[in-house]
Amino acid sequence: MPQAKYPKIVVTPPGPKARELVQQDHSLISQSLVRFYPLVAESGQGCIVRDVDGNEFIDFNSGLVCLAVGHSHPKVVAAIKSQAEKLIHYSYTDFYYEKVVQFSKELTKITPGNFPKRVFLGNSGTEAIEAAMKLAKWHTRKHGFISFIGAFHGRTLGSLSLTASKPAQRRHFLPMVPGDTHVPFAYCYRCPFKLEYPDCGMYCVDFIQEQVLDTYLPPEDVAALFTEPIQGEGGYVVPPDDYFKRLKKLLDKNGILMVDDEVQAGMGRTGRWFGIENWGVEPDILCTSKALASGLPIGATVAKADIMDWEGGSHANTFGGNPVSCAAGIEVINAIRDEHLMENAVKQGNYIMKRLKEFQEKYPIIGDVRGKGLMIGAEIVKDPKTKEFGETEAKDIMMKSFRRGLALITCGHSTLRITPPLTITRDLIDPGLDILEGAVKEVAGANK
Ligand SMILES: Cc1ncc(COP(=O)(O)O)c(C=O)c1O
């Protein structure tokens, strides 16, 4: 049988150069970061990331879910080079340039809703959320927000107030910005109400009305509800099909804006430009970042034009809408469209889900497999009956995979996340999943 070309492990990672760099990093760099494992990236091409010791990994991470069109897509690289030679900076928040207008026009075309829109550009996911928070306050003149337990919306103090997926994110940073209320999300595998879908009648939506808005949080004081279409850092939690329609109806009834955080799920990852489109819902404000410029910093807040009605000077920044990032973003949109990457996300995602479900039959430590397109999670448990989180097991699987040449990470308590570039094909998926199965099998065996 011919040997698969990838992955290529020439020295068990971390190799000597990687170890040396990690050591320097640990004495120099803020250790507030997460760091899943000592992958010291040197270069990337397509769906392969190469480390400083010459190991080549199959990349099921896409960086941090940023490389939808793969590492160093040639058209994106060409656009970056050409724009960098022309204009690198001239703050769009104080002056004007063409790339911001071109890019924003494209964004208004691909975001859900056939209504006039306006765009605010920042540099990151958290800035897109901060802009949405301020905009919602400015437009509605209300101060309250609702967000979900398990949510991740960023780490600056405004977005952190909405975030609620890990204690470490908030420890010693209290108090948060006042005015946010957290409610349970539709995490059906671990229903917070111990109910079962569909018999539950989606009580988690009724709960917001009955136990929150009708009980102690006057809707007149709530500007917006923030939600991810699929909870990302919270564990790749996919709500049931009719959830968002019901939720949007509730919000409209109470005069509360819906802010859709597509920072992780957006840009084709779920098989649609934006995750919420899988459920036919049009949010009032949408935030996106990560894959937007294939790894260059940018974040966008896109709102209905009549909502983005704030006055001059109310919100701006220096670097947002950088022309090089915008040029890259235009090519990202072109590549997703022209190379049919959303179709590929659905096709390859279905195949990966099918194989993961086969693994689940064989290895009961895989408690749940869920996802849309190429945003896929496999939740690891110690025992499928008790559903006790398999935190050490998930970490073990991740580390074994890394040492064998598959880069994937976890999210939530114990969910393996599978988010390769949308360009991935079977010749890399199969060896990647074979490595994953080998790791799961070993850890499941040790767990008996
Ligand atoms: C859904 C979601 N929102 C917001 C953010 C924050 O983005 P950034 O890290 O660019 O600030 C993230 C980052 O992981 C995210 O996944």
Side-chain angles (χ1 to χ4, degrees):
M1 230 167 67
Q3 273 288 331
K5 199 165 164 224
Y6 294 110
K8 209 160 32 174
I9 294 299
V10 294
V11 50
T12 303
K17 287 190 185 161
R19 285 202 301 273
E20 160 66 22
L21 214 122
V22 167
Q23 204 180 4
Q24 286 188 39
D25 176 296
H26 281 186
S27 60
L28 198 63
I29 304 292
S30 159
Q31 295 299 304
S32 58
L33 313 173
V34 179
R35 265 59 188 284
F36 286 94
Y37 39 78
L39 171 51
V40 181
E42 186 185 68
S43 60
Q45 207 60 52
C47 302
I48 300 296
V49 58
R50 186 184 162 99
D51 79 2
V52 283
D53 293 292
N55 292 314
E56 293 181 327
F57 299 82
I58 298 172
D59 190 358
F60 273 15
N61 291 332
S62 301
L64 202 55
V65 204
C66 291
L67 303 165
V69 301
H71 289 262
S72 297
H73 188 289
K75 290 192 176 154
V76 174
V77 172
I80 291 171
K81 280 185 181 161
S82 148
Q83 184 59 41
E85 279 165 3
K86 241 193 256 168
L87 182 76
I88 292 181
H89 165 79
Y90 218 81
S91 200
Y92 94 107
T93 63
D94 295 86
F95 306 98
Y96 299 88
Y97 47 82
E98 191 183 14
K99 279 288 176 253
V100 154
V101 175
Q102 278 179 351
F103 179 52
S104 299
K105 207 178 278 174
E106 291 305 312
L107 273 178
T108 62
K109 282 190 221 156
I110 64 170
T111 41
N114 196 16
F115 36 73
K117 297 170 193 151
R118 282 184 186 275
V119 179
F120 177 87
L121 295 172
N123 303 283
S124 61
T126 197
E127 281 182 66
I129 297 292
E130 297 282 343
M133 292 175 81
K134 284 178 69 179
L135 175 62
K137 275 179 186 269
W138 206 96
H139 176 73
T140 64
R141 299 293 198 273
K142 301 188 209 171
H143 304 295
F145 295 120
I146 299 175
S147 63
F148 288 104
I149 295 169
F152 188 87
H153 296 293
R155 292 175 184 273
T156 49
L157 276 169
S159 67
L160 184 62
S161 307
L162 307 173
T163 288
S165 50
K166 291 205 174 80
Q169 294 153 353
R170 296 175 145 234
R171 188 170 293 125
H172 308 316
F173 297 128
L174 293 174
M176 296 286 112
V177 173
D180 188 43
T181 298
H182 286 92
V183 296
F185 194 59
Y187 190 173
C188 296
Y189 180 63
R190 297 179 184 276
C191 175
F193 302 104
K194 311 276 182 242
L195 298 172
E196 242 179 73
Y197 180 81
D199 296 342
C200 61
M202 216 116 63
Y203 177 67
C204 50
V205 178
D206 295 340
F207 174 88
I208 300 172
Q209 185 71 58
E210 292 166 13
Q211 302 297 324
V212 180
L213 298 172
D214 293 347
T215 306
Y216 72 98
L217 182 68
E220 298 80 10
D221 291 340
V222 181
L225 174 142
F226 284 69
T227 184
E228 296 156 272
I230 295 175
Q231 280 194 341
E233 303 307 306
Y236 277 34
V237 181
V238 187
D241 280 347
D242 33 358
Y243 179 72
F244 282 116
K245 278 226 159 103
R246 282 271 298 272
L247 184 65
K248 182 73 168 92
K249 214 162 141 190
L250 175 147
L251 296 174
D252 288 346
K253 188 176 118 192
N254 290 282
I256 298 171
L257 300 176
M258 177 190 258
V259 182
D260 174 28
D261 179 350
E262 296 276 354
V263 168
Q264 190 154 167
M267 302 310 291
R269 177 143 301 278
T270 67
R272 309 294 293 263
W273 282 112
F274 295 96
I276 201 80
E277 292 175 82
N278 287 289
W279 297 289
V281 167
E282 294 172 355
D284 302 294
I285 303 175
L286 181 149
C287 300
T288 179
S289 183
K290 284 199 186 283
L292 199 47
S294 202
L296 289 196
I298 195 155
T301 307
V302 184
K304 287 179 175 163
D306 58 345
I307 290 177
M308 197 171 273
D309 58 354
W310 43 12
E311 65 188 345
S314 56
H315 196 55
N317 57 38
T318 298
F319 289 122
N322 173 276
V324 182
S325 298
C326 288
I330 292 166
E331 286 311 319
V332 166
I333 292 173
N334 288 341
I336 293 173
R337 189 185 286 128
D338 299 347
E339 296 170 26
H340 309 290
L341 298 186
M342 289 184 276
E343 291 85 336
N344 194 52
V346 172
K347 180 176 154 199
Q348 309 299 355
N350 286 343
Y351 173 73
I352 294 173
M353 290 275 283
K354 179 174 147 284
R355 280 205 60 191
L356 288 174
K357 286 192 169 152
E358 288 163 9
F359 296 173
Q360 191 184 13
E361 303 265 298
K362 290 196 258 179
Y363 314 110
I365 64 167
I366 301 183
D368 195 26
V369 174
R370 51 192 182 240
K372 288 251 177 233
L374 285 170
M375 185 167 186
I376 299 172
E379 185 163 330
I380 304 298
V381 291
K382 289 191 193 297
D383 175 336
K385 287 200 190 77
T386 64
K387 297 186 184 175
E388 186 184 343
F389 290 115
E391 280 169 318
T392 48
E393 290 80 0
K395 200 167 165 210
D396 229 13
I397 294 166
M398 176 184 80
M399 290 307 293
K400 284 186 193 316
S401 300
F402 163 63
R403 292 207 184 91
R404 293 164 195 178
L406 173 67
L408 60 75
I409 58 175
T410 57
C411 54
H413 286 268
S414 61
T415 300
L416 302 168
R417 70 172 124 176
I418 292 147
T419 55
L422 311 184
T423 51
I424 196 139
T425 46
R426 284 281 297 277
D427 58 332
L428 291 175
I429 291 173
D430 281 324
L433 288 178
D434 291 347
I435 291 173
L436 180 60
E437 179 173 12
V440 169
K441 188 175 174 182
E442 277 178 38
V443 173
N447 209 35
K448 273 189 184 146

